[in-house]
Amino acid sequence: MKRRPHSRRQGEAENAGREGGRDERKLRTRRALLDAALQLLEGERSFSSLSLREVTKGAGITPAAFYRHFSGMEDLGHALIEDSFRSLHVLMRQAREGALPSTHMIRASVATFLDHVAAHRAHFRFIAKERFSGSSVIRMAIRKEIRLWIGDLAVDLSRFPALAKFSAEDLQMLAGMMVNIVIGGTEVLLDTPPADTEALQRIYRLTEKQMRLVLLGAALWDSNNARADERSPPSSTARSRAG
Amino acid sequence: MKRRPHSRRQGEAENAGREGGRDERKLRTRRALLDAALQLLEGERSFSSLSLREVTKGAGITPAAFYRHFSGMEDLGHALIEDSFRSLHVLMRQAREGALPSTHMIRASVATFLDHVAAHRAHFRFIAKERFSGSSVIRMAIRKEIRLWIGDLAVDLSRFPALAKFSAEDLQMLAGMMVNIVIGGTEVLLDTPPADTEALQRIYRLTEKQMRLVLLGAALWDSNNARADERSPPSSTARSRAG
DNA sequence: AGCTCCAGTAAACGTTTGTTTACTGTACAC
DNA sequence: GTGTACAGTAAACAAACGTTTACTGGAGCT
């Protein structure tokens, strides 16, 4: 299955110019396949509509060689998901280890994330497209990643004093809403041309604003929490007002 | 283009059993095509990946006959969007004309909408899938509908005293968030089996709760509005705290 | 009764699809 | 230097694709 590095000769490990070792070359065309798929996805196409043959054509190899790297298009789809989330994971880990709650925290977090999205448009476009449209196994993989993200965020949120009284369930909900807001911003960002900096700034500000509104609601939440939410009896007439 | 009804004989207008008039039959196979597409969409498939031929096969006609009804698959996609939103429009108009702000308003609105989604799964599944994945013209059609929906909701919201101080822009944002919440609930609902009533109830309650949290934030919004939102200078260091 | 219209059929077309087969050339281990 | 593993090639395959063409037959107007 896996090829062991086998004591690469030490001198030429970093020349990395035109040609390379055998596994290096293999990795290169593998990446070419992934890139070709992403590039085809940049347009109108959806992943499930693009064919193995055009991906290989985009990567500059023959169709049969595809099977040296992936068992089929679905396999390639999985690899794309992994690639897409890997860089995001790095970002999140840095954010978690690095800067602790600063001033401008909301603004900084939103900007950091959306910058990342803007820098990896193709990956996030793929995720956005496949989140609801792809095969169920791919959809579930994406959903799992988002769920993990929400869970991590909920843990982070639990450390804020203002949210101390949140139940675990409500923390999860709050984290879910925040993630949803950011995902919404992502989706709008993805079909805004990168050149339109004014529109991009508007998206940043809107996302940030939405985040602030939700957190504003969260600050009051626990006091209203016991109204009709927890264990509402089925078909009850719990009195609740809003508006 | 359009065929005029031409004074249908009055007696047999309602028999509607097996056979029908000529235009009636045409409408029937047209609907068969739309239904076939929706049914294929129920599974893993995405719209852009399904072929004209399998749609005609599902509808029980030959491929060539397809062109008597649509110019191509994209045309059929448009018809699907129209169908999907038509019933929603009816629902929204009823809701608007009918019940005025009641108690349980949030709960009732959420339940009404999600009931509608549950009753038209196929249509909303199609919309959810194509919202980001389809051709740009179809995507834009969906986005336009959502934008109109948000606009209508913003108008409705403007009539609430508690939101009187919202700027037009902020009202739009609030409406957008509320619509996003409902759409989020819709998307979760769509891949929950209809039989799992417990999970469905959980979705209803979660959506409702999110809505309440946002409106809670909105109740305080105007007082905090002047903090760092309106006309923040580029690359400023406006002080804002949250959490 | 006769004429017209048109939804649907049947067949053919040139492409493109996914996958398999036998092969070639070269980087690497020995 | 020799042998082998294996990434990539070339060719073939049946199947499915979108679209066009000529046709058929029944409903609907006169």
Short mmCIF file of all heavy atoms in Angstrom, two decimals, chain A residues 44 46 48-49 104 106 129 132-134 136 143 162 169-170 173 177 187 191 205-206 209-210 212-214 216-217 220 227 229 238 240 242, chain B residues 44 46 48-49 104 106 129 132-133 135-136 143 169-170 173 177 187 191 205-206 209-210 212-214 217 220 227 229 238 240 242-243:
data_model
loop_
_atom_site.label_atom_id
_atom_site.label_comp_id
_atom_site.label_asym_id
_atom_site.label_seq_id
_atom_site.Cartn_x
_atom_site.Cartn_y
_atom_site.Cartn_z
N GLU A 44 -19.21 26.58 -14.06
CA GLU A 44 -20.60 26.27 -13.76
C GLU A 44 -20.77 24.85 -13.25
O GLU A 44 -21.76 24.53 -12.61
CB GLU A 44 -21.46 26.43 -15.02
CG GLU A 44 -21.39 27.80 -15.67
CD GLU A 44 -22.28 28.78 -14.93
OE1 GLU A 44 -21.80 29.38 -13.94
OE2 GLU A 44 -23.42 28.92 -15.32
N SER A 46 -20.75 21.11 -11.68
CA SER A 46 -20.76 20.54 -10.35
C SER A 46 -19.94 19.26 -10.38
O SER A 46 -19.77 18.64 -11.42
CB SER A 46 -22.18 20.25 -9.90
OG SER A 46 -22.62 19.00 -10.41
N SER A 48 -20.35 16.22 -9.47
CA SER A 48 -20.96 14.99 -9.96
C SER A 48 -21.15 15.01 -11.46
O SER A 48 -21.40 13.98 -12.06
CB SER A 48 -22.29 14.74 -9.27
OG SER A 48 -23.19 15.78 -9.57
N SER A 49 -21.03 16.17 -12.07
CA SER A 49 -21.25 16.26 -13.51
C SER A 49 -19.95 16.21 -14.28
O SER A 49 -19.97 16.15 -15.51
CB SER A 49 -22.00 17.54 -13.85
OG SER A 49 -21.11 18.63 -13.93
N HIS A 104 -11.36 43.63 19.64
CA HIS A 104 -11.71 43.37 18.23
C HIS A 104 -11.84 41.88 17.96
O HIS A 104 -11.57 41.43 16.87
CB HIS A 104 -10.67 43.92 17.26
CG HIS A 104 -10.06 45.20 17.68
ND1 HIS A 104 -10.82 46.31 17.97
CD2 HIS A 104 -8.78 45.57 17.85
CE1 HIS A 104 -10.00 47.30 18.31
NE2 HIS A 104 -8.76 46.88 18.25
N ILE A 106 -14.22 39.67 17.61
CA ILE A 106 -15.13 39.25 16.56
C ILE A 106 -14.60 39.65 15.21
O ILE A 106 -14.48 38.81 14.30
CB ILE A 106 -16.52 39.86 16.79
CG1 ILE A 106 -17.11 39.35 18.10
CG2 ILE A 106 -17.44 39.51 15.63
CD1 ILE A 106 -18.44 39.96 18.42
N LYS A 129 -20.36 23.67 -2.98
CA LYS A 129 -21.16 23.00 -4.01
C LYS A 129 -21.58 21.61 -3.57
O LYS A 129 -22.69 21.17 -3.86
CB LYS A 129 -20.36 22.91 -5.31
CG LYS A 129 -20.33 24.20 -6.11
CD LYS A 129 -19.61 24.01 -7.43
CE LYS A 129 -19.74 25.24 -8.30
NZ LYS A 129 -19.03 25.09 -9.58
N PHE A 132 -24.54 20.04 -0.29
CA PHE A 132 -25.89 19.51 -0.41
C PHE A 132 -26.09 18.70 -1.68
O PHE A 132 -27.05 17.97 -1.80
CB PHE A 132 -26.91 20.66 -0.40
CG PHE A 132 -26.85 21.44 0.87
CD1 PHE A 132 -26.34 22.73 0.90
CD2 PHE A 132 -27.28 20.88 2.05
CE1 PHE A 132 -26.27 23.43 2.08
CE2 PHE A 132 -27.23 21.58 3.24
CZ PHE A 132 -26.72 22.86 3.26
N SER A 133 -25.18 18.86 -2.61
CA SER A 133 -25.44 18.30 -3.92
C SER A 133 -24.71 17.00 -4.18
O SER A 133 -25.10 16.24 -5.07
CB SER A 133 -25.05 19.34 -4.98
OG SER A 133 -25.05 18.78 -6.24
N GLY A 134 -23.68 16.71 -3.45
CA GLY A 134 -22.85 15.56 -3.78
C GLY A 134 -23.44 14.23 -3.36
O GLY A 134 -24.57 14.16 -2.89
N SER A 136 -23.96 11.02 -1.00
CA SER A 136 -24.25 11.12 0.42
C SER A 136 -22.99 10.90 1.25
O SER A 136 -22.83 11.51 2.31
CB SER A 136 -25.33 10.13 0.80
OG SER A 136 -24.81 8.84 0.89
N ARG A 143 -20.31 17.29 6.34
CA ARG A 143 -21.11 17.60 7.52
C ARG A 143 -20.35 17.25 8.79
O ARG A 143 -20.43 17.97 9.79
CB ARG A 143 -22.42 16.82 7.43
CG ARG A 143 -23.44 17.28 8.42
CD ARG A 143 -24.82 17.12 7.85
NE ARG A 143 -24.86 17.56 6.44
CZ ARG A 143 -25.95 17.57 5.72
NH1 ARG A 143 -27.09 17.17 6.24
NH2 ARG A 143 -25.92 17.98 4.47
N ALA A 162 -19.30 35.20 30.26
CA ALA A 162 -20.65 35.67 29.92
C ALA A 162 -21.54 34.51 29.48
O ALA A 162 -22.77 34.62 29.52
CB ALA A 162 -20.57 36.72 28.83
N GLU A 169 -26.34 22.03 25.49
CA GLU A 169 -27.15 22.03 24.28
C GLU A 169 -27.23 23.43 23.67
O GLU A 169 -27.10 23.61 22.46
CB GLU A 169 -28.55 21.52 24.61
CG GLU A 169 -29.49 21.45 23.42
CD GLU A 169 -30.92 21.22 23.87
OE1 GLU A 169 -31.10 20.62 24.95
OE2 GLU A 169 -31.84 21.64 23.16
N ASP A 170 -27.43 24.42 24.56
CA ASP A 170 -27.55 25.78 24.04
C ASP A 170 -26.22 26.30 23.53
O ASP A 170 -26.17 27.08 22.57
CB ASP A 170 -28.10 26.70 25.14
CG ASP A 170 -29.59 26.52 25.31
OD1 ASP A 170 -30.16 25.68 24.59
OD2 ASP A 170 -30.19 27.21 26.16
N MET A 173 -25.90 25.07 20.15
CA MET A 173 -26.75 25.86 19.26
C MET A 173 -26.10 27.18 18.90
O MET A 173 -26.05 27.58 17.74
CB MET A 173 -28.12 26.12 19.91
CG MET A 173 -28.97 27.05 19.07
SD MET A 173 -30.34 27.79 20.02
CE MET A 173 -29.45 28.90 21.11
N MET A 177 -24.94 28.50 15.29
CA MET A 177 -25.39 29.74 14.64
C MET A 177 -24.20 30.56 14.16
O MET A 177 -24.22 31.12 13.07
CB MET A 177 -26.24 30.56 15.61
CG MET A 177 -27.56 29.91 15.93
SD MET A 177 -28.57 30.94 17.03
CE MET A 177 -29.10 32.22 15.91
N GLU A 187 -20.29 31.85 1.56
CA GLU A 187 -21.01 31.56 0.32
C GLU A 187 -21.25 32.83 -0.50
O GLU A 187 -21.18 32.81 -1.73
CB GLU A 187 -22.33 30.86 0.65
CG GLU A 187 -22.09 29.46 1.15
CD GLU A 187 -23.30 28.85 1.84
OE1 GLU A 187 -24.22 29.60 2.22
OE2 GLU A 187 -23.33 27.64 2.00
N ASP A 191 -19.19 33.96 -4.56
CA ASP A 191 -19.51 34.51 -5.87
C ASP A 191 -19.53 36.03 -5.86
O ASP A 191 -20.47 36.64 -6.37
CB ASP A 191 -20.77 33.90 -6.49
CG ASP A 191 -21.89 33.78 -5.50
OD1 ASP A 191 -21.90 34.58 -4.54
OD2 ASP A 191 -22.71 32.92 -5.67
N ARG A 205 -18.08 43.22 6.79
CA ARG A 205 -18.78 43.99 7.81
C ARG A 205 -20.13 43.37 8.16
O ARG A 205 -20.53 43.34 9.33
CB ARG A 205 -18.95 45.43 7.33
CG ARG A 205 -17.62 46.22 7.38
CD ARG A 205 -17.87 47.70 7.58
NE ARG A 205 -18.54 48.30 6.45
CZ ARG A 205 -19.61 49.06 6.55
NH1 ARG A 205 -20.15 49.31 7.73
NH2 ARG A 205 -20.16 49.58 5.47
N LEU A 206 -20.80 42.86 7.14
CA LEU A 206 -22.10 42.26 7.39
C LEU A 206 -21.97 41.01 8.26
O LEU A 206 -22.71 40.82 9.24
CB LEU A 206 -22.77 41.90 6.06
CG LEU A 206 -24.12 41.19 6.19
CD1 LEU A 206 -25.14 42.14 6.81
CD2 LEU A 206 -24.62 40.68 4.84
N LYS A 209 -21.24 41.95 11.73
CA LYS A 209 -22.42 42.54 12.37
C LYS A 209 -23.39 41.46 12.83
O LYS A 209 -23.92 41.50 13.95
CB LYS A 209 -23.10 43.44 11.34
CG LYS A 209 -23.71 44.71 11.84
CD LYS A 209 -24.19 45.47 10.62
CE LYS A 209 -24.66 46.86 10.91
NZ LYS A 209 -25.07 47.53 9.64
N GLN A 210 -23.60 40.49 11.96
CA GLN A 210 -24.49 39.39 12.32
C GLN A 210 -23.96 38.66 13.53
O GLN A 210 -24.71 38.31 14.44
CB GLN A 210 -24.61 38.43 11.13
CG GLN A 210 -25.32 39.03 9.94
CD GLN A 210 -25.45 38.05 8.80
OE1 GLN A 210 -24.66 37.11 8.68
NE2 GLN A 210 -26.42 38.25 7.94
N ARG A 212 -22.18 39.87 15.83
CA ARG A 212 -22.35 40.70 17.02
C ARG A 212 -23.80 40.63 17.52
O ARG A 212 -24.06 40.56 18.72
CB ARG A 212 -21.97 42.14 16.70
CG ARG A 212 -21.72 42.96 17.94
CD ARG A 212 -20.65 44.00 17.69
NE ARG A 212 -20.86 44.73 16.47
CZ ARG A 212 -19.89 45.14 15.66
NH1 ARG A 212 -18.64 44.86 15.94
NH2 ARG A 212 -20.17 45.80 14.56
N LEU A 213 -24.72 40.62 16.57
CA LEU A 213 -26.11 40.57 16.99
C LEU A 213 -26.42 39.26 17.72
O LEU A 213 -27.11 39.26 18.76
CB LEU A 213 -27.04 40.72 15.78
CG LEU A 213 -28.52 40.92 16.11
CD1 LEU A 213 -29.15 41.89 15.13
CD2 LEU A 213 -29.28 39.61 16.06
N VAL A 214 -25.90 38.19 17.21
CA VAL A 214 -26.15 36.91 17.85
C VAL A 214 -25.54 36.87 19.25
O VAL A 214 -26.16 36.40 20.21
CB VAL A 214 -25.61 35.76 16.99
CG1 VAL A 214 -25.46 34.49 17.81
CG2 VAL A 214 -26.53 35.51 15.82
N LEU A 216 -24.97 39.35 21.08
CA LEU A 216 -25.77 40.24 21.91
C LEU A 216 -26.96 39.48 22.48
O LEU A 216 -27.27 39.58 23.67
CB LEU A 216 -26.24 41.41 21.05
CG LEU A 216 -26.70 42.67 21.75
CD1 LEU A 216 -25.58 43.20 22.63
CD2 LEU A 216 -27.11 43.72 20.72
N GLY A 217 -27.62 38.73 21.63
CA GLY A 217 -28.72 37.92 22.11
C GLY A 217 -28.26 36.90 23.12
O GLY A 217 -28.93 36.63 24.12
N LEU A 220 -28.04 37.81 26.80
CA LEU A 220 -29.28 37.84 27.58
C LEU A 220 -29.92 36.48 27.70
O LEU A 220 -30.96 36.32 28.33
CB LEU A 220 -30.30 38.78 26.92
CG LEU A 220 -29.94 40.22 26.68
CD1 LEU A 220 -31.21 41.03 26.53
CD2 LEU A 220 -29.08 40.77 27.79
N ARG A 227 -37.89 29.90 29.77
CA ARG A 227 -39.25 30.27 29.40
C ARG A 227 -40.04 29.11 28.81
O ARG A 227 -40.99 28.64 29.40
CB ARG A 227 -39.23 31.42 28.41
CG ARG A 227 -40.23 32.47 28.81
CD ARG A 227 -39.99 33.76 28.09
NE ARG A 227 -39.63 33.51 26.69
CZ ARG A 227 -39.53 34.49 25.82
NH1 ARG A 227 -39.74 35.72 26.17
NH2 ARG A 227 -39.19 34.25 24.59
N ASP A 229 -38.26 26.65 26.58
CA ASP A 229 -37.36 25.89 25.75
C ASP A 229 -37.06 24.52 26.33
O ASP A 229 -37.32 23.50 25.72
CB ASP A 229 -36.07 26.67 25.60
CG ASP A 229 -36.37 28.13 25.30
OD1 ASP A 229 -37.17 28.35 24.38
OD2 ASP A 229 -35.86 29.00 26.02
N ALA A 238 -47.26 26.21 26.22
CA ALA A 238 -46.34 27.06 26.97
C ALA A 238 -46.46 28.50 26.50
O ALA A 238 -46.39 28.77 25.31
CB ALA A 238 -44.91 26.55 26.79
N SER A 240 -45.37 31.92 25.54
CA SER A 240 -44.15 32.60 25.12
C SER A 240 -44.54 33.76 24.23
O SER A 240 -45.44 33.66 23.42
CB SER A 240 -43.24 31.65 24.35
OG SER A 240 -43.72 31.44 23.06
N ALA A 242 -42.92 37.05 21.82
CA ALA A 242 -41.74 37.62 21.18
C ALA A 242 -42.17 38.64 20.15
O ALA A 242 -43.28 38.59 19.63
CB ALA A 242 -40.92 36.53 20.52
N GLU B 44 -29.13 10.35 -4.79
CA GLU B 44 -27.82 10.97 -4.65
C GLU B 44 -27.55 12.00 -5.73
O GLU B 44 -26.68 12.84 -5.59
CB GLU B 44 -26.74 9.89 -4.73
CG GLU B 44 -26.89 8.77 -3.74
CD GLU B 44 -26.35 9.18 -2.38
OE1 GLU B 44 -27.14 9.81 -1.61
OE2 GLU B 44 -25.19 8.92 -2.11
N SER B 46 -27.34 14.87 -8.61
CA SER B 46 -27.55 16.31 -8.68
C SER B 46 -28.13 16.65 -10.05
O SER B 46 -27.95 15.91 -11.01
CB SER B 46 -26.25 17.06 -8.47
OG SER B 46 -25.54 17.17 -9.68
N SER B 48 -27.48 18.73 -12.40
CA SER B 48 -26.59 18.86 -13.56
C SER B 48 -26.05 17.52 -14.01
O SER B 48 -25.51 17.41 -15.10
CB SER B 48 -25.44 19.81 -13.24
OG SER B 48 -24.68 19.28 -12.17
N SER B 49 -26.18 16.50 -13.18
CA SER B 49 -25.64 15.20 -13.55
C SER B 49 -26.70 14.29 -14.15
O SER B 49 -26.38 13.21 -14.61
CB SER B 49 -25.03 14.50 -12.33
OG SER B 49 -26.04 13.88 -11.56
N HIS B 104 -47.31 33.01 20.52
CA HIS B 104 -46.62 31.89 19.87
C HIS B 104 -46.23 32.24 18.44
O HIS B 104 -46.17 31.37 17.58
CB HIS B 104 -47.48 30.63 19.82
CG HIS B 104 -48.29 30.41 21.01
ND1 HIS B 104 -47.72 30.32 22.27
CD2 HIS B 104 -49.62 30.28 21.18
CE1 HIS B 104 -48.69 30.11 23.16
NE2 HIS B 104 -49.85 30.10 22.53
N ILE B 106 -43.52 33.18 16.84
CA ILE B 106 -42.32 32.56 16.28
C ILE B 106 -42.56 31.09 16.05
O ILE B 106 -42.35 30.56 14.96
CB ILE B 106 -41.13 32.75 17.23
CG1 ILE B 106 -40.82 34.24 17.37
CG2 ILE B 106 -39.93 31.99 16.74
CD1 ILE B 106 -39.69 34.52 18.32
N LYS B 129 -30.22 21.73 -3.39
CA LYS B 129 -29.10 21.20 -4.15
C LYS B 129 -28.59 22.20 -5.17
O LYS B 129 -27.39 22.30 -5.41
CB LYS B 129 -29.54 19.92 -4.88
CG LYS B 129 -29.57 18.70 -4.00
CD LYS B 129 -29.93 17.45 -4.81
CE LYS B 129 -29.78 16.20 -3.95
NZ LYS B 129 -30.13 14.97 -4.70
N PHE B 132 -26.26 26.26 -4.80
CA PHE B 132 -24.85 26.58 -5.00
C PHE B 132 -24.24 25.77 -6.12
O PHE B 132 -23.18 26.10 -6.63
CB PHE B 132 -24.07 26.32 -3.71
CG PHE B 132 -24.55 27.15 -2.57
CD1 PHE B 132 -25.25 26.59 -1.53
CD2 PHE B 132 -24.31 28.51 -2.56
CE1 PHE B 132 -25.69 27.36 -0.47
CE2 PHE B 132 -24.76 29.29 -1.52
CZ PHE B 132 -25.46 28.72 -0.48
N SER B 133 -24.92 24.73 -6.52
CA SER B 133 -24.27 23.78 -7.41
C SER B 133 -24.70 23.93 -8.87
O SER B 133 -24.00 23.48 -9.76
CB SER B 133 -24.57 22.36 -6.93
OG SER B 133 -24.20 21.42 -7.89
N SER B 135 -26.25 25.64 -12.59
CA SER B 135 -25.76 26.65 -13.52
C SER B 135 -26.03 28.03 -12.93
O SER B 135 -26.93 28.22 -12.11
CB SER B 135 -26.48 26.51 -14.85
OG SER B 135 -27.78 27.02 -14.77
N SER B 136 -25.25 29.00 -13.36
CA SER B 136 -25.33 30.30 -12.71
C SER B 136 -26.70 30.93 -12.92
O SER B 136 -27.20 31.63 -12.04
CB SER B 136 -24.23 31.22 -13.24
OG SER B 136 -24.55 31.69 -14.52
N ARG B 143 -31.47 32.64 -5.99
CA ARG B 143 -31.04 33.73 -5.11
C ARG B 143 -32.01 34.89 -5.16
O ARG B 143 -32.29 35.54 -4.15
CB ARG B 143 -29.65 34.19 -5.56
CG ARG B 143 -28.97 35.04 -4.54
CD ARG B 143 -27.49 34.81 -4.56
NE ARG B 143 -27.17 33.38 -4.66
CZ ARG B 143 -25.95 32.89 -4.65
NH1 ARG B 143 -24.92 33.72 -4.55
NH2 ARG B 143 -25.74 31.60 -4.73
N GLU B 169 -30.98 49.14 6.43
CA GLU B 169 -29.91 48.17 6.19
C GLU B 169 -29.92 47.08 7.27
O GLU B 169 -29.81 45.89 6.98
CB GLU B 169 -28.57 48.90 6.18
CG GLU B 169 -27.39 48.01 5.89
CD GLU B 169 -26.08 48.75 6.17
OE1 GLU B 169 -26.05 50.00 6.05
OE2 GLU B 169 -25.10 48.08 6.55
N ASP B 170 -30.09 47.52 8.51
CA ASP B 170 -30.07 46.55 9.60
C ASP B 170 -31.31 45.67 9.59
O ASP B 170 -31.24 44.49 9.94
CB ASP B 170 -29.95 47.28 10.94
CG ASP B 170 -28.52 47.74 11.20
OD1 ASP B 170 -27.67 47.49 10.33
OD2 ASP B 170 -28.28 48.35 12.26
N MET B 173 -30.60 43.05 7.23
CA MET B 173 -29.70 42.07 7.83
C MET B 173 -30.46 41.12 8.75
O MET B 173 -30.30 39.91 8.69
CB MET B 173 -28.61 42.77 8.62
CG MET B 173 -27.73 41.78 9.37
SD MET B 173 -26.77 42.56 10.69
CE MET B 173 -28.04 42.98 11.87
N MET B 177 -30.92 37.15 8.41
CA MET B 177 -30.54 36.15 9.42
C MET B 177 -31.69 35.21 9.72
O MET B 177 -31.51 34.00 9.86
CB MET B 177 -30.08 36.85 10.69
CG MET B 177 -28.78 37.59 10.52
SD MET B 177 -28.24 38.38 12.06
CE MET B 177 -27.72 36.94 13.00
N GLU B 187 -32.65 22.66 5.59
CA GLU B 187 -31.63 21.75 5.07
C GLU B 187 -31.40 20.57 5.99
O GLU B 187 -31.17 19.45 5.53
CB GLU B 187 -30.35 22.55 4.84
CG GLU B 187 -30.49 23.52 3.67
CD GLU B 187 -29.40 24.57 3.63
OE1 GLU B 187 -28.73 24.76 4.65
OE2 GLU B 187 -29.23 25.18 2.58
N ASP B 191 -32.58 16.11 5.14
CA ASP B 191 -32.05 14.75 5.27
C ASP B 191 -32.27 14.17 6.65
O ASP B 191 -31.36 13.63 7.26
CB ASP B 191 -30.59 14.63 4.80
CG ASP B 191 -29.74 15.76 5.28
OD1 ASP B 191 -30.08 16.36 6.31
OD2 ASP B 191 -28.76 16.04 4.62
N ARG B 205 -37.83 22.63 17.21
CA ARG B 205 -37.52 23.38 18.43
C ARG B 205 -36.22 24.15 18.30
O ARG B 205 -36.10 25.28 18.77
CB ARG B 205 -37.46 22.41 19.62
CG ARG B 205 -38.84 21.93 20.03
CD ARG B 205 -38.89 21.59 21.51
NE ARG B 205 -38.07 20.43 21.81
CZ ARG B 205 -37.17 20.40 22.79
NH1 ARG B 205 -36.98 21.47 23.54
NH2 ARG B 205 -36.46 19.32 23.00
N LEU B 206 -35.24 23.53 17.66
CA LEU B 206 -33.95 24.18 17.49
C LEU B 206 -34.09 25.44 16.64
O LEU B 206 -33.58 26.52 16.98
CB LEU B 206 -32.94 23.22 16.86
CG LEU B 206 -31.56 23.81 16.58
CD1 LEU B 206 -30.88 24.18 17.90
CD2 LEU B 206 -30.70 22.86 15.78
N LYS B 209 -35.77 28.12 18.53
CA LYS B 209 -34.89 28.66 19.56
C LYS B 209 -33.89 29.65 18.97
O LYS B 209 -33.65 30.72 19.52
CB LYS B 209 -34.13 27.48 20.17
CG LYS B 209 -33.86 27.56 21.65
CD LYS B 209 -33.20 26.24 22.04
CE LYS B 209 -33.08 26.02 23.50
NZ LYS B 209 -32.45 24.70 23.79
N GLN B 210 -33.32 29.25 17.85
CA GLN B 210 -32.38 30.15 17.18
C GLN B 210 -33.05 31.45 16.81
O GLN B 210 -32.50 32.54 16.98
CB GLN B 210 -31.81 29.48 15.92
CG GLN B 210 -30.96 28.26 16.20
CD GLN B 210 -30.43 27.64 14.93
OE1 GLN B 210 -31.03 27.77 13.86
NE2 GLN B 210 -29.33 26.92 15.04
N ARG B 212 -35.51 32.78 18.29
CA ARG B 212 -35.75 33.57 19.48
C ARG B 212 -34.49 34.28 19.95
O ARG B 212 -34.52 35.44 20.35
CB ARG B 212 -36.28 32.67 20.60
CG ARG B 212 -36.95 33.43 21.73
CD ARG B 212 -38.07 32.63 22.35
NE ARG B 212 -37.68 31.27 22.63
CZ ARG B 212 -38.48 30.22 22.47
NH1 ARG B 212 -39.72 30.39 22.06
NH2 ARG B 212 -38.05 29.03 22.75
N LEU B 213 -33.37 33.58 19.83
CA LEU B 213 -32.12 34.20 20.26
C LEU B 213 -31.79 35.41 19.40
O LEU B 213 -31.36 36.46 19.91
CB LEU B 213 -30.98 33.18 20.20
CG LEU B 213 -29.66 33.63 20.83
CD1 LEU B 213 -28.98 32.47 21.52
CD2 LEU B 213 -28.72 34.23 19.81
N VAL B 214 -32.01 35.28 18.11
CA VAL B 214 -31.71 36.40 17.23
C VAL B 214 -32.63 37.58 17.53
O VAL B 214 -32.18 38.73 17.58
CB VAL B 214 -31.85 35.97 15.75
CG1 VAL B 214 -31.98 37.19 14.86
CG2 VAL B 214 -30.66 35.15 15.33
N GLY B 217 -31.48 39.35 20.55
CA GLY B 217 -30.41 40.28 20.24
C GLY B 217 -30.94 41.53 19.55
O GLY B 217 -30.50 42.65 19.81
N LEU B 220 -32.17 44.49 21.59
CA LEU B 220 -31.17 45.39 22.18
C LEU B 220 -30.35 46.11 21.14
O LEU B 220 -29.50 46.92 21.45
CB LEU B 220 -30.19 44.59 23.05
CG LEU B 220 -30.70 43.75 24.19
CD1 LEU B 220 -29.58 43.51 25.15
CD2 LEU B 220 -31.87 44.41 24.86
N ARG B 227 -21.98 51.67 17.92
CA ARG B 227 -20.67 51.40 18.48
C ARG B 227 -19.56 51.42 17.45
O ARG B 227 -18.72 52.31 17.45
CB ARG B 227 -20.69 50.05 19.20
CG ARG B 227 -20.05 50.18 20.54
CD ARG B 227 -20.26 48.95 21.37
NE ARG B 227 -20.30 47.73 20.56
CZ ARG B 227 -20.38 46.54 21.10
NH1 ARG B 227 -20.44 46.42 22.40
NH2 ARG B 227 -20.43 45.48 20.36
N ASP B 229 -20.25 50.09 14.03
CA ASP B 229 -20.79 49.51 12.81
C ASP B 229 -20.93 50.53 11.70
O ASP B 229 -20.33 50.41 10.63
CB ASP B 229 -22.15 48.91 13.11
CG ASP B 229 -22.08 48.13 14.39
OD1 ASP B 229 -21.14 47.33 14.53
OD2 ASP B 229 -22.93 48.36 15.25
N ALA B 238 -11.40 50.99 15.99
CA ALA B 238 -12.60 51.25 16.78
C ALA B 238 -12.67 50.26 17.92
O ALA B 238 -12.56 49.05 17.71
CB ALA B 238 -13.84 51.16 15.90
N SER B 240 -14.17 47.87 20.37
CA SER B 240 -15.39 47.09 20.54
C SER B 240 -15.04 45.85 21.34
O SER B 240 -13.99 45.25 21.17
CB SER B 240 -15.95 46.68 19.17
OG SER B 240 -15.20 45.63 18.63
N ALA B 242 -16.65 42.18 23.04
CA ALA B 242 -17.76 41.22 23.02
C ALA B 242 -17.34 39.97 23.74
O ALA B 242 -16.16 39.63 23.79
CB ALA B 242 -18.18 40.90 21.60
N GLY B 243 -18.30 39.23 24.28
CA GLY B 243 -18.00 37.99 24.93
C GLY B 243 -18.04 38.07 26.42
O GLY B 243 -18.42 38.97 27.06
#
